[in-house]
Amino acid sequence: MATSAWMHGNSAMRLTEGLVSVLKEHRPEYLSEVLANYREHGVFSSQGASDVAGLVGFSNAKLSSSKTRFEGLCLLSMLVKDSSSDLFQQHCLSWLRSLQQVIQSQAPPQTIQLAVNILKDLLQYSCQLAELAREVGLNSILGILTSLLGLKTECELAAMEGMKACMIYYPRACGSLKNKLGAYFLSKMDSTSRKTQEVACQGYGHLPCLGGLADRSLGTGRAEGWTNQIQCLLASANGILAQIYQGSETDEAVQYRGPGVELPFPYLDQTDPLLFLQLQHRYTAVCLAIKHTFRADPASAVHLPVRPILNLLCRALAVNSKSINLTAEGSLRLLVLPSVHISTLEVLAELIT
């Protein structure tokens, strides 16, 4: 920050105005570079209280208008990263309200994505400050989640990233919306976009970590929920395998007999010529969800149903090209077999890890 020595009130405002003139061009390909250049001047850390307040007010003014909202968000992203602890605690709740208003405004996807990126920073920093975290958990999280759940389809990736941040940093506050979040992530796990599917499975994997504000035996509930989710995913994976492998398994194939209930995925048309590709895609999603549930930390000891997991892995890998009769639908079963095996081996690798 070589230039920070000369950066005082008027100079800082001039520099900020120069930044805003660039931001008005809406050229996202230059965004990260110009913001990095601006931050290099150390504008916030070198200012007095009145000058910093002016920059905060400048950002708020930009956020209040739909025409300048994007510039306001860019300034806010730096305020969040560079502000002092006192300044952050003073403005955090109002910044969260501003972000929620941006999300509710159904702004363009680029603007929504930027708002969610800032939201992730705000939640990460605020959860480390006990008193502020309590206020955020009580007054902000449910409203933000509700707004994210209402976003249009073209913003679904940003929406899920925002939801996931709420779940990671404020798991207890998200408890009352657990079912809605689960239904949303489940509806996106069939997405043909690999990125969307991956993020949906990551979010689904965090569901057992959520708890209600009034939960007293929170650790026990999370542990049971974690194991139950694994069992339901195992039931779903076995159900999908039964459809893909129909007529190709030996009589010794191990069937799932655990307590899990198959997930309520949307119905697939059994006469669709691409049914096997859809089943393969869904099996991939379930395996991803198993992997991410393994990675989730329910903050208590959990029971890992090792035998049912190993049974699934053995069942999936027991069928090979020689097991499949290539008449009728056999060629389609053979077509999806490598993907089924790869997804299965990824679960095995995660289990070992």
Side-chain angles (χ1 to χ4, degrees):
M1 298 185 179
T3 58
S4 62
W6 60 266
M7 197 57 57
H8 51 82
N10 188 54
S11 300
M13 191 58 71
R14 291 293 186 187
L15 184 64
T16 303
E17 289 173 354
L19 171 67
V20 170
S21 69
V22 175
L23 298 178
K24 286 179 179 178
E25 299 300 320
H26 286 271
R27 301 285 294 278
E29 65 270 26
Y30 296 107
L31 182 58
S32 61
E33 187 173 353
V34 72
L35 291 180
N37 291 340
Y38 180 80
R39 292 186 71 203
E40 192 65 26
H41 285 283
V43 173
F44 302 126
S45 60
S46 62
Q47 300 308 297
S50 61
D51 295 325
V52 170
L55 290 170
V56 172
F58 190 53
S59 172
N60 291 341
K62 294 292 179 181
L63 282 170
S64 64
S65 170
S66 60
K67 294 181 180 180
T68 58
R69 186 177 290 141
F70 188 80
E71 299 99 274
L73 285 172
C74 291
L75 293 172
L76 179 57
S77 71
M78 289 177 292
L79 278 168
V80 171
K81 286 182 171 69
D82 295 342
S83 62
S84 66
S85 178
D86 288 343
L87 183 70
F88 181 85
Q89 293 188 71
Q90 180 184 350
H91 294 283
C92 180
L93 292 175
S94 64
W95 286 340
L96 284 171
R97 284 193 294 270
S98 294
L99 291 177
Q100 185 178 350
Q101 289 169 2
V102 172
I103 294 169
Q104 289 174 332
S105 71
Q106 300 288 350
Q110 176 186 331
T111 302
I112 296 295
Q113 183 63 64
L114 181 54
V116 167
N117 290 342
I118 301 168
L119 172 66
K120 290 190 287 187
D121 285 340
L122 276 170
L123 296 179
Q124 181 183 0
Y125 303 152
S126 65
C127 76
Q128 301 173 50
L129 303 166
E131 188 174 337
L132 178 60
R134 186 179 65 81
E135 289 190 60
V136 171
L138 287 173
N139 301 317
S140 302
I141 296 299
L142 292 184
I144 290 170
L145 282 174
T146 301
S147 299
L148 290 168
L149 285 164
L151 276 172
K152 49 195 174 185
T153 303
E154 51 263 45
C155 297
E156 64 185 12
L157 198 55
M160 288 191 292
E161 289 175 353
M163 293 174 204
K164 195 172 67 168
C166 291
M167 295 163 71
I168 291 172
Y169 299 118
Y170 287 89
R172 197 166 187 174
C174 297
S176 62
L177 288 179
K178 182 176 180 178
N179 291 339
K180 287 187 177 180
L181 291 167
Y184 186 92
F185 289 126
L186 188 68
S187 71
K188 304 301 179 183
M189 284 165 61
D190 270 339
S191 172
T192 54
S193 163
R194 179 66 189 220
K195 178 64 175 176
T196 299
Q197 185 184 57
E198 176 77 29
V199 176
C201 293
Q202 289 172 1
Y204 200 88
H206 278 287
L207 288 174
C209 301
L210 307 187
L213 290 171
D215 288 352
R216 292 183 178 179
S217 57
L218 194 58
T220 302
R222 287 180 178 177
E224 291 176 354
W226 189 92
T227 302
N228 180 64
Q229 177 155 306
I230 292 289
Q231 291 283 6
C232 291
L233 288 167
L234 290 173
S236 301
N238 276 279
I240 298 169
L241 277 183
Q243 290 183 270
I244 296 176
Y245 285 173
Q246 187 176 19
S248 303
E249 294 184 286
T250 64
D251 293 338
E252 290 78 29
V254 179
Q255 308 295 317
Y256 177 78
R257 294 186 175 86
V261 178
E262 291 188 35
L263 302 180
F265 281 110
Y267 171 78
L268 294 178
D269 183 357
Q270 300 300 302
T271 63
D272 191 324
L274 300 183
L275 174 64
F276 285 98
L277 293 176
Q278 294 168 346
L279 289 170
Q280 168 229 306
H281 191 68
R282 184 168 288 181
Y283 182 78
T284 297
V286 173
C287 287
L288 281 171
I290 293 174
K291 285 172 51 181
H292 289 297
T293 304
F294 283 167
R295 294 176 184 177
D297 181 11
S300 59
V302 295
H303 172 68
L304 181 65
V306 176
R307 176 52 57 189
I309 296 171
L310 292 176
N311 287 345
L312 168 69
L313 302 180
C314 291
R315 179 182 186 182
L317 297 174
V319 173
N320 56 43
S321 57
K322 295 179 181 178
S323 312
I324 298 175
N325 185 340
L326 294 181
T327 60
E329 297 171 333
S331 59
L332 293 176
R333 298 181 198 276
L334 183 60
L335 182 66
V336 304
L337 188 63
S339 176
V340 171
H341 283 178
I342 289 170
S343 295
T344 303
L345 290 171
E346 289 178 351
V347 172
L348 174 60
E350 195 67 37
L351 177 65
I352 293 170
T353 302

